Amino acid sequence: SVTLKSEIKKLIYTHVGLWLLLLAQMCVGHLKLLPHDQVAMPYQWEYPYLLSILPSLLGLLSFPRKFPMAQQLYRHGKAYRFIFGFSAVSVMYLVVVVAAQVHGWQLYYSKKLLDSWFTSTQEKKKK
């Protein structure tokens, strides 16, 4: 529905915002623009998190096209179209499954990131 599409777009934009903040932290930390007591060096698991932007951007770019095309192929019996030797609908659903798995990893790493930020802020409050 239109409501869900707008909500998903908002979530993708939020993810891009978080990704930009993490990228800024990495740039500031590695270029030593600020002292490390103000901006901490990123954890090792935060580097692979940067890859999570790819599925989000691809999803955002293909949002208006992917699902209507798959539905049209399925409804009108045009599933005989092939991509790399497989039916186009099967390939599109495979892409959705892979994107869902990557999104699951993104949620896991987002939770880890949130936990580490919460822990570090609690430690600063104790000092």
Side-chain angles (χ1 to χ4, degrees):
S1 73
V2 176
T3 306
L4 291 178
K5 286 182 183 180
S6 67
E7 293 298 321
I8 291 172
K9 284 183 182 180
K10 287 177 190 174
L11 289 172
I12 291 174
Y13 292 140
T14 303
H15 175 242
V16 170
L18 289 173
W19 184 84
L20 288 172
L21 287 172
L22 182 61
L23 183 66
Q25 176 196 7
M26 288 183 181
C27 290
V28 168
H30 286 292
L31 297 175
K32 298 177 182 166
L33 299 174
L34 293 172
H36 288 297
D37 59 343
Q38 290 181 350
V39 177
M41 286 296 290
Y43 293 104
Q44 292 295 320
W45 60 265
E46 291 176 332
Y47 296 102
Y49 180 82
L50 289 178
L51 296 174
S52 70
I53 195 67
L54 294 175
S56 291
L57 290 179
L58 291 175
L60 188 62
L61 293 174
S62 67
F63 207 86
R65 293 178 286 229
K66 185 184 297 178
F67 291 107
M69 187 170 52
Q71 291 172 351
Q72 181 184 13
L73 287 173
Y74 183 74
R75 285 184 187 151
H76 298 294
K78 296 181 181 178
Y80 60 86
R81 296 187 184 176
F82 294 97
I83 299 174
F84 302 117
F86 299 96
S87 83
V89 173
S90 299
V91 171
M92 286 186 214
Y93 284 122
L94 180 64
V95 168
V96 169
V97 167
V98 171
Q101 290 176 345
V102 171
H103 182 65
W105 293 336
Q106 172 197 348
L107 292 175
Y108 172 75
Y109 286 124
S110 296
K111 176 72 169 110
K112 286 283 208 183
L113 182 63
L114 184 64
D115 289 344
S116 69
W117 282 342
F118 181 74
T119 303
S120 67
T121 55
Q122 292 301 321
E123 290 172 1
K124 287 180 184 178
K125 286 181 181 179
K126 289 179 183 177
K127 293 180 182 181

